[in-house]
Amino acid sequence: MNQPSAECMIEARGVQKWYPNGFHALRGVDLTVHRGEVVVVMGPSGSGKSTFIRTFNALEDFQQGSITVDGRALSNDLRDIDAIRREVGMVFQQFNLFPHLSVLENLTLAPIQVRKRPKAEVEEQAYALLERVGIREQADKYPGQLSGGQQQRVAIARSLCMEPRILLFDEPTSSLDPEMVREVLEVMRNLAADGMTMVVVTHEVGFAREVAHRVVLMAEGQVVEEADPATFFTNPSHERSRQFLAQIL
Amino acid sequence: MTLSLPQRLKRELAATPLDGAVSAVLIVAITAAAIGFLGWAFGRAQWLVIQANGTLLAVGRYPVEQQWRLWLLVGLLAAATGLGWGLLRGRRWPFNDRLASVLLVALGLWAPAALGLSLPLQVRWWAITALLLGLRWAFGRWGAAGLARLHPRVRRLLPLGFPLLYLIGLWLIAGGLGLGSVAPSEWGGLLLTLLMASLAMLLSFPLGVLLALGRRSELPLLRWGSVLYIEFIRGAPLITLLFLGQNILGFLLPGGLAPDRVWRAAAVLTLFCAAYLAEAVRSGLAAVPRGQVEAARSLGLSVPQTLGAVVLPQALRTALPTMVGQFISLLQDTTLLSLIGLLDLLGMARSVMANPAYLGKNAEVYLTLAVLFWCCCAALGLGSRALERRLDTTRPA
Ligand SMILES: Nc1ncnc2c1ncn2[C@@H]1O[C@H](COP(=O)(O)OP(=O)(O)OP(=O)(O)O)[C@@H](O)[C@H]1O
Ligand SMILES: [Mg+2]
C-alpha cells in the first residue's frame, strides 16, 4: 500500500453547519487528510457524510470552524473558492455527466475553459485517461448511451482531466448494479495505488479494508470513531460503531 | 404473424360492431366532404382572384421597378437553403430528401403557371428551383471536402452566415444596392408577414432567454422586474398591446422621431413573444438537475461558464418544442397586424376582397391564405423536429 506523507491536504477543525431550515447537520467535525492518503467515511443515512465532504469544495457552506484545503483556507472569497475547486475533484453518486456533450467533450470542457489549455493537448490527455479507466473506444458516444459503470468511470476520468490534487467520492457505487460496482472500484483502487489523495464516502467494506488508510465513522453530524481499517472492522472502540457494523456486515 | 389486407382492415376498422359502425359513418362523411371540397376547388371556385392579385398578396404595393430586389433575395435564400441542405446530408439522398425534391420541382413548375405569371417570370421560378436543387446536389457531393480544406477558424465563423444573410435581406428589401429606398409602408402581403414574424422570432429569442435568467436571478430588483414584465405581457391580449404600441410611442416621441408604424408593430410583436419564450426557457432551466450545476462548479467552471456550457444548452433543448409552438402562434398572430391598418397577408387579402370586381370570392382568398400559413407552420414544425432529433443524445448510437 502506498504510504501517505506528513503533508496536510485537508484540515477541518470544529466544523458546524446549519441548513437554512435550521437543521444542525454538522456538530463540530474534525478531520485531517494527508497527502496520498485514502480516507473512507462511513455512517448511517442522514449522519452528514455528504454534507461534510461537500464542504471541502464549497458546494456546501458552513457557519463555524475552519477548513483548509491544500494550504488555502475556505472563506467566502469567491476567487479562493474557484481556485480550490480547480484542485479538488468530485465524483457523485448520480455521475452528473453532461448529457449534451460527448464523453470526450465531458472530459475536455473544464481543462479548456478553466485552465485555458490548448484543445489538442487536452484531447490527447483525455484519450489517455479514458484508456486508463478502460473505455477509450466510447470517446465519441454520449453519456446516455453508456452503462452506469461506464458512466461513473467517465465521471472519474472527467475529474482526473483537471489534474486535481484531491478527489472526493460521494457514494460512487451506490446507484450501480452489483456487476458494475467492481469495475468502478478497480479504477479507484488503481488511483489509490498511484498515490492520489482520496476521501471516499462508501459502504463497500471490502474496498475500505483493502484500500483505506483510515476509516471514519460519522453519526448525527459528528465523527464518532476514527481508526485504521483493521481496528475499525474487528475491534471498534465505540458502542455506536459496533451498532453500525452489525447492520452492514 | 402477418395479416392479409382484408384481415388487417377488419381488425383496424371493424374489430367490434360499434367500431364498424363508427368507421362506416366516418368513411362516408370524409368521402362526402372530400368530394364536395374537390368539386368546389376544381369546379365552381374561380381562382382568377388569386391570379390577378398574386403580386399584391405576395409583396403588397412594393414598387414594381424595385421587385428585382425580392427576386434576388429569394435567389439568395434558395442558394443558402440548398447549400445548408447539401452540407447536412452529404451524398445521401434519403427518402424524405427525394420526396422534398420532387415536391419542389412540382411546385416550381406548377405554381408559376397556375398563377398565370408571364413567361420570363416563370423562367425565374425554374431557375431558382434549379439553383436550390443544384446546390443541394453539388454541396452534398463536394461540400464536405471543401469544408475540410478551410482553416478551422474560418469554419467556425461559417454559421454567422445566416444572421448575415438575414441582415443582407433586410437591407435589400429596404432598398440597399441601388438608388432609392423602399419605405416600410410599401411592404405588404406575405413579404410583410414573413418579415415581421422572422424579425420578432430572432429578436425575442435572446430577450426571452435574458428574461428567464432574470426571473431566476438572485438580485431582487432584476427578478421582480422580470416577473412584472412577463406577467404584464402575458396578461394582456396582443391586439391591445399592438394598439398601445401604435399610440404610446407617438405620445412619447415627437412626431418625426417616432419610428415607422411597421417597426413599432415589430417591436410589440418581439416584446410580446419574448414574455412567452421566457416562460418556456424558465421551465427548461427548472428541468436541468441540480447535480449538473454542482458537477460543473466542482470542476472549477465559473457561474457564466456553467450557464453557457452546461445549463443553457440543456434548458434550451428541453424548451425547444414549446418555443417553436410559440413561434408558430406568433406567425399566426401577425394577422392581427391587419387590424392596426398594416397590409400584411390578411390585410392585403381583405383589401383585395373589398374590391367590387372580386365580390363573393372570399372562400378562394381565405383558402389560399390558410394554405400559405399552413405551409409556413409546417416548415417550422419540420425544422424543429429535425433539430430535436439532431440534439437528442440519448438515442442508441
Ligand atoms: N438542503 C437541505 N436542507 C435541510 N436539511 C438537509 C438538506 N440536505 C440535507 N439535509 C439533512 O442533513 C442531514 C445530513 O444529510 P447528508 O446528505 O449529509 O447525509 P448522508 O450522511 O450523506 O446520508 P446518506 O447516506 O443518505 O447520503 C440529513 O438529515 C438531511 O435530511
Ligand atoms: Mg449522502
Side-chain angles (χ1 to χ4, degrees):
Chain A
M1 193 189 273
N2 174 63
Q3 280 313 304
S5 74
E7 187 189 343
C8 265
M9 290 302 276
I10 299 177
E11 189 160 20
R13 288 285 160 265
V15 176
Q16 308 235 19
K17 166 160 182 105
W18 286 264
Y19 273 108
N21 65 359
F23 183 78
H24 197 176
L26 299 177
R27 305 167 179 243
V29 192
D30 296 314
L31 183 74
T32 304
V33 180
H34 298 280
R35 185 189 174 91
E37 195 174 21
V38 178
V39 174
V40 163
V41 180
M42 293 188 152
S45 178
S47 57
K49 309 176 296 287
S50 299
T51 307
F52 186 45
I53 73 162
R54 285 157 59 90
T55 59
F56 298 163
N57 65 350
L59 282 183
E60 300 286 356
D61 59 357
F62 56 95
Q63 280 73 40
Q64 278 177 35
S66 68
I67 300 181
T68 311
V69 177
D70 197 15
R72 275 198 193 84
L74 270 180
S75 64
N76 288 329
D77 187 339
L78 284 175
R79 252 172 312 162
D80 261 7
I81 290 183
D82 279 345
I84 287 175
R85 282 181 176 151
R86 285 197 288 270
E87 309 306 328
V88 181
M90 182 145 199
V91 176
F92 301 84
Q93 178 176 351
Q94 301 300 337
F95 327 137
N96 294 347
L97 292 177
F98 306 131
H100 61 300
L101 299 180
S102 73
V103 165
L104 187 69
E105 290 164 340
N106 263 278
L107 265 66
T108 58
L109 175 70
I112 292 175
Q113 291 216 353
V114 179
R115 294 219 194 266
K116 313 281 180 221
R117 291 169 51 198
K119 185 172 173 205
E121 177 196 310
V122 177
E123 284 188 348
E124 197 174 319
Q125 183 195 7
Y127 278 119
L129 283 169
L130 288 175
E131 179 90 60
R132 188 161 148 198
V133 299
I135 38 177
R136 188 191 158 118
E137 69 285 357
Q138 315 281 3
D140 293 325
K141 286 200 185 163
Y142 286 90
Q145 300 164 339
L146 303 183
S147 74
Q150 291 172 325
Q151 290 193 47
Q152 193 60 296
R153 286 184 282 157
V154 172
I156 295 174
R158 176 175 72 175
S159 290
L160 290 175
C161 212
M162 278 296 280
E163 301 177 334
R165 288 160 63 82
I166 303 167
L167 262 187
L168 309 173
F169 293 83
D170 192 359
E171 308 207 26
T173 56
S174 296
S175 52
L176 295 178
D177 293 338
E179 64 267 34
M180 293 168 185
V181 170
R182 210 171 37 88
E183 62 192 44
V184 171
L185 290 180
E186 184 61 32
V187 168
M188 293 169 61
R189 215 172 265 132
N190 292 337
L191 278 177
D194 290 345
M196 176 60 84
T197 309
M198 295 162 54
V199 180
V200 185
V201 176
T202 184
H203 296 299
E204 295 292 333
V205 175
F207 177 83
R209 272 186 204 272
E210 188 190 332
V211 180
H213 297 98
R214 249 182 319 142
V215 179
V216 171
L217 182 88
M218 284 186 73
E220 281 112 37
Q222 284 176 315
V223 169
V224 177
E225 173 132 14
E226 203 178 328
D228 62 90
T231 318
F232 181 85
F233 287 110
T234 52
N235 190 19
S237 42
H238 292 82
E239 179 52 31
R240 193 75 187 72
S241 313
R242 276 191 282 276
Q243 283 173 8
F244 176 72
L245 289 174
Q247 275 170 5
I248 65 163
L249 287 178
Chain B
M1 186 183 66
T2 52
L3 296 172
S4 68
L5 189 60
Q7 277 174 316
R8 271 221 347 245
L9 280 181
K10 179 168 173 359
R11 200 177 63 171
E12 286 179 9
L13 296 178
T16 67
L18 182 62
D19 277 11
V22 171
S23 297
V25 169
L26 282 177
I27 288 173
V28 170
I30 292 173
T31 316
I35 290 175
F37 173 75
L38 292 176
W40 173 78
F42 293 101
R44 275 162 292 137
Q46 293 177 350
W47 295 103
L48 185 69
V49 56
I50 302 299
Q51 290 180 336
N53 296 292
T55 313
L56 272 184
L57 289 176
V59 301
R61 305 222 158 76
Y62 203 90
V64 180
E65 73 281 1
Q66 298 289 338
Q67 280 176 12
W68 58 268
R69 301 172 178 289
L70 304 177
W71 284 102
L72 183 59
L73 181 61
V74 173
L76 278 176
L77 287 176
T81 309
L83 197 150
W85 188 8
L87 287 180
L88 219 61
R89 282 288 209 265
R91 282 160 193 261
R92 292 173 301 121
W93 283 86
F95 175 75
N96 284 346
D97 288 35
R98 278 178 281 153
L99 183 68
S101 308
V102 170
L103 285 178
L104 278 173
V105 170
L107 195 72
L109 292 177
W110 171 78
L115 280 172
L117 296 183
S118 66
L119 193 63
L121 290 188
Q122 291 205 29
V123 172
R124 277 191 206 172
W125 270 117
W126 302 341
I128 285 170
T129 308
L131 180 70
L132 201 169
L133 291 175
L135 285 177
R136 157 71 180 91
W137 176 77
F139 273 83
R141 209 168 160 78
W142 298 298
L147 216 54
R149 227 174 300 143
L150 284 179
H151 192 277
R153 238 167 244 237
V154 182
R155 214 172 340 162
R156 225 170 307 148
L157 291 179
L158 281 186
L160 286 181
F162 289 100
L164 194 66
L165 183 68
Y166 192 82
L167 290 178
I168 292 177
L170 270 184
W171 176 69
L172 265 180
I173 291 171
L177 197 75
L179 305 167
S181 65
V182 183
S185 54
E186 295 177 291
W187 308 346
L190 185 62
L191 170 71
L192 185 64
T193 293
L194 290 182
L195 209 61
M196 298 295 265
S198 60
L199 206 62
M201 284 176 206
L202 285 178
L203 296 179
S204 64
F205 176 67
L207 193 58
V209 171
L210 287 180
L211 279 169
L213 292 176
R215 189 162 190 169
R216 286 169 58 103
S217 156
E218 279 167 14
L219 303 174
L221 212 59
L222 196 59
R223 189 169 63 241
W224 288 113
S226 309
V227 171
L228 211 65
Y229 176 84
I230 294 171
E231 295 307 332
F232 170 71
I233 296 282
R234 297 203 320 146
L238 176 56
I239 186 67
T240 55
L241 295 175
L242 281 170
F243 277 120
L244 199 63
Q246 295 301 318
N247 294 321
I248 228 174
L249 287 176
F251 295 144
L252 291 182
L253 300 166
L257 279 182
D260 187 274
R261 292 179 337 129
V262 171
W263 295 126
R264 278 189 244 170
V268 172
L269 282 179
T270 303
L271 295 175
F272 179 78
C273 189
Y276 287 84
L277 286 188
E279 283 303 282
V281 175
R282 183 170 74 121
S283 63
L285 286 171
V288 178
R290 245 172 70 95
Q292 291 289 309
V293 178
E294 291 181 348
R297 301 289 281 134
S298 68
L299 283 167
L301 277 97
S302 64
V303 174
Q305 284 171 335
T306 303
L307 198 62
V310 175
V311 176
L312 267 185
Q314 296 183 54
L316 293 180
R317 163 71 186 77
T318 315
L320 182 66
T322 323
M323 289 197 295
V324 173
Q326 201 51 56
F327 285 153
I328 289 177
S329 10
L330 175 73
L331 184 65
Q332 298 171 347
D333 284 347
T334 56
T335 47
L336 290 176
L337 294 177
S338 65
L339 294 187
I340 58 166
L342 295 189
L343 292 175
D344 73 313
L345 193 49
L346 182 63
M348 211 66 236
R350 283 167 27 131
S351 86
V352 164
M353 290 181 292
N355 184 340
Y358 303 111
L359 219 55
K361 297 289 170 287
N362 293 8
E364 287 84 347
V365 175
Y366 280 127
L367 183 67
T368 309
L369 248 56
V371 169
L372 280 176
F373 271 106
W374 182 85
C375 289
C376 296
C377 294
L380 274 176
L382 280 178
S384 115
R385 241 162 305 147
L387 194 58
E388 269 173 65
R389 266 199 307 277
R390 255 182 109 71
L391 296 179
D392 180 12
T393 55
T394 54
R395 69 190 181 284

